[in-house]
Amino acid sequence: MDTVLLKEIKHVLLSFPEYWEQDSLLKSKVIDDLRDYRKDLIEKLLDNEKIRNAYTIKISNNYIFRIDDLIDMLRYKSYWDNSYTKYSNEIGLTSEGRYLKYNTDVVVDFPHKDCVLQGGMTNEEVGKKEVFYHKILAKEEIDILLEPKVFINVKKYDVNGEHEVKEFHDSDNLIIKGNNLIALYCLKERFAGKVKLIYIDPPYNTGTDSFKYNDRFTHSTWLTFMKNRLEVSKEFLKDDGVIFIQINDVEMAYLKVLCDEIFGRENYLNTISVRTKSNAGATGGGEDKRLKKNVEYLLCYCKDYNSFKEFNKVYKKVELMSYIKQMENEGKSWKYTSVFKDFGEKVYYKTIKDGSGQDINIYKRINFKTQSISSIAEEENISLEEAYRKYFDRIFTTENSLSSIRTRVREATDNEDNLYSIEYIPVSGKNKGKVTELFYKGKNKRLVNFLKETAEIDENGKMYKKDIYGTLWDGINWNNISREGNVVLPNGKKPEELLKIIIEMATNSGDIVMDYFLGSGTTAAVAHKLGRQYIGIEQLNYGDEDSVARLKNVINGDGSGISSIVNWTGGGSFVYAELYELNQKYVKQIQNLTSEEEIENVIEDIKEKAFLDFKVDIEKITNENSDFASLSLEEKKNILIQVLDANQMYLSYSEIDDFQYEIPESVKQFNHSFYNKS
């Protein structure tokens, strides 16, 4: 697609014959003259209104020429001439004259960090080892690329099946099929500042072909790919929202620095280590010369640290008696071994003040009685487990708490081996605003901690020890997760249990959860079961094993994953929509080619129907006199994709009424509703 701005720049530069060698622009000479502030060149550029508007800042009726922006455009813009060899060689992204796929020098200021890569993520069945990236785009082209697109094949699913939908409501769950960068910009106006949690599981850039996602980026392209998406996704977060990014050690260090820049170091919360596999066995279990990988990482940032409150308390549960046995086997002391058989008579002692001036009422406990849990079991002729269950609410230990309240209580009471309780209303913490009772025991008035505060009994009478999740998450079951949700994804699938922890930790009922690397739909499935609203975006085609199939199973009462834990029985709904493909369908068609015989038909189809890059003469590139016929199938496919106009992959919403696209009225109604247009 020819752009007005490029035409104007070329028109100005054509008035300087020294910048041209036949039809090829001598970019380095232009750049050198711009850096030397060549007066006549700058004057001609600034005389052009469109160039002046694009590359200057007006301050007090004076114009400041953003010369570096124009130089960057000249350096990175592909000017293709009529030479096929030069054309094919110039496809790609460069930095200082080197193509990014050969560039291994990545620092914080990595190549093309200020660019937009529209490229997708597919690694199709033909086994492509390199993703196709579009060219570096100028501002005008970026605006076209990222403007809202048309949604088609819109459906709503609920317990009664599939339905036509003409309106979109703010409370609807949403699944979008299409390039996630484009889709994010389609969603931005409607959902900016409304999402409480973003979880993504992007390509790890491992250099393998284990996943359908392209996983063979170079550092620079991978970082640019991630930067484009993280920057826009930040705009979706509420002020107290958070993002979790799952990654392994290949790019984790680089990603941390990138996220520090995008979200701000002050908004960094944690790096969580998630144990994913068992330890190496007796033989060592190393991977090549390296140690076996047992963990992945979750990088966690908030939108605004001052607005972020705190994570909800989420606990890891272990069967209590097994936990006690494990402590004994490891030679560790299990401290919850005492029982209050009688809390004694509660007698008012005195009132003191806490640090904020609030009352603390102190009570002395007369004739209280304690006994060890083991002696109770022996005395009552019951098992230790039965004793724990019977006296569950009275089992305790004491600790040498360093709190200011304990200090005040100790100073206000005595040094005798007795028991005091207090009642007060905390001004902060989990019991803020509630009347709270605490016990202090012994000569030093040690704080009493009850087992019931760190353990629970479920509806079946089973006792569990609870530990708050910190930054090491182990005990999550990664076995047999490939069929969770009744859809199969052999590699890369995450356990529903993992997403349950994240979603419960970061959100409350009704909050919006987003995942724009949705895959088989784990995030959406768990959010659905937990009563959260969700937005999912996926580009790849998983056939019958995709997120839509999984969510339909969830609505119909899927019993796998966390269903039994949260008592899931079905219900709810979601809306599904696809981005209207233009050139993107030809990209897929080209990628699926398996033989030379298919090439000619595709070329003719592209010539007749596709939107071609205005700088490329496809006839000259593919005719009998060119070198095209001597290329391999893969090389031909690469070239044909590059011939397509990068900005015409999907249909813009502004073109929805164009008769040539034959968009049904119901689809138009949905799009108007989604974009809040009349």
Side-chain angles (χ1 to χ4, degrees), residues 602-664:
V602 171
I603 291 175
E604 291 306 313
D605 204 19
I606 288 174
K607 287 179 182 178
E608 181 181 351
K609 300 176 183 178
F611 294 87
L612 304 181
D613 193 295
F614 75 98
K615 297 183 293 295
V616 183
D617 188 335
I618 190 172
E619 294 288 351
K620 291 184 178 180
I621 288 173
T622 61
N623 67 28
E624 294 179 357
N625 297 324
S626 73
D627 295 325
F628 188 79
S630 64
L631 299 175
S632 69
L633 177 62
E634 289 303 303
E635 290 171 328
K636 289 178 180 177
K637 289 163 66 172
N638 289 359
I639 295 301
L640 288 177
I641 287 178
Q642 296 301 317
V643 164
L644 300 171
D645 186 344
N647 293 322
Q648 297 293 324
M649 291 295 163
Y650 297 94
L651 178 63
S652 294
Y653 172 67
S654 59
E655 304 295 320
I656 194 169
D657 290 320
D658 192 323
F659 71 91
Q660 68 174 306
Y661 301 116
E662 299 180 341
I663 297 174

Side-chain angles (χ1 to χ4, degrees), residues 578-613:
E578 299 175 3
L579 295 180
Y580 190 118
E581 295 181 346
L582 294 178
N583 278 349
Q584 183 64 32
K585 64 186 175 184
Y586 297 110
V587 172
K588 293 180 180 178
Q589 190 176 349
I590 293 167
Q591 288 175 329
N592 289 327
L593 292 175
T594 58
S595 68
E596 295 282 350
E597 291 72 24
E598 300 172 301
I599 287 283
E600 286 303 319
N601 290 335
V602 171
I603 291 175
E604 291 306 313
D605 204 19
I606 288 174
K607 287 179 182 178
E608 181 181 351
K609 300 176 183 178
F611 294 87
L612 304 181
D613 193 295

Side-chain angles (χ1 to χ4, degrees), residues 183-316:
L184 284 169
Y185 276 91
C186 293
L187 296 170
K188 188 173 74 165
E189 182 176 346
R190 185 163 196 131
F191 289 102
K194 296 181 179 180
V195 176
K196 185 62 182 295
L197 166 67
I198 296 174
Y199 166 85
I200 57 172
D201 181 26
Y204 290 0
N205 201 20
T206 58
T208 68
D209 292 318
S210 301
F211 305 95
K212 279 195 171 184
Y213 279 127
N214 178 70
D215 208 26
R216 297 176 66 92
F217 295 93
T218 62
H219 288 307
S220 300
T221 52
W222 187 86
L223 285 168
T224 306
F225 172 86
M226 291 299 300
K227 180 175 182 287
N228 295 159
R229 287 152 177 80
L230 291 173
E231 283 179 330
V232 65
S233 65
K234 178 184 177 183
E235 299 183 46
F236 284 86
L237 289 175
K238 299 175 67 174
D239 288 342
D240 62 346
V242 292
I243 183 170
F244 282 74
I245 310 168
Q246 187 140 356
I247 201 72
N248 71 0
D249 57 357
V250 173
E251 294 286 6
M252 202 280 282
Y254 294 96
L255 181 60
K256 171 66 169 65
V257 175
L258 177 63
C259 288
D260 282 346
E261 177 180 333
I262 294 172
F263 296 99
R265 291 189 66 184
E266 69 278 8
N267 295 318
Y268 167 71
L269 293 175
N270 288 107
T271 300
I272 299 165
S273 298
V274 182
R275 182 174 174 181
T276 59
K277 298 176 182 178
S278 60
N279 292 324
T283 58
E287 297 177 355
D288 189 25
K289 297 179 180 180
R290 299 181 175 93
L291 299 174
K292 183 175 182 179
K293 295 184 179 182
N294 305 120
V295 298
E296 291 182 359
Y297 304 96
L298 289 166
L299 277 177
C300 183
Y301 286 78
C302 61
K303 174 89 172 276
D304 178 5
Y305 192 82
N306 293 324
S307 299
F308 177 73
K309 298 175 180 64
E310 61 181 355
F311 286 123
N312 299 322
K313 297 293 188 295
V314 179
Y315 299 92
K316 176 174 62 176

Side-chain angles (χ1 to χ4, degrees), residues 297-340:
Y297 304 96
L298 289 166
L299 277 177
C300 183
Y301 286 78
C302 61
K303 174 89 172 276
D304 178 5
Y305 192 82
N306 293 324
S307 299
F308 177 73
K309 298 175 180 64
E310 61 181 355
F311 286 123
N312 299 322
K313 297 293 188 295
V314 179
Y315 299 92
K316 176 174 62 176
K317 297 195 298 186
V318 182
E319 199 278 321
L320 180 62
M321 302 314 293
S322 298
Y323 184 87
I324 295 172
K325 186 66 175 178
Q326 180 182 344
M327 294 276 287
E328 292 175 353
N329 292 338
E330 294 176 357
K332 298 178 181 178
S333 174
W334 170 248
K335 300 184 183 300
Y336 290 93
T337 57
S338 299
V339 178
F340 275 113

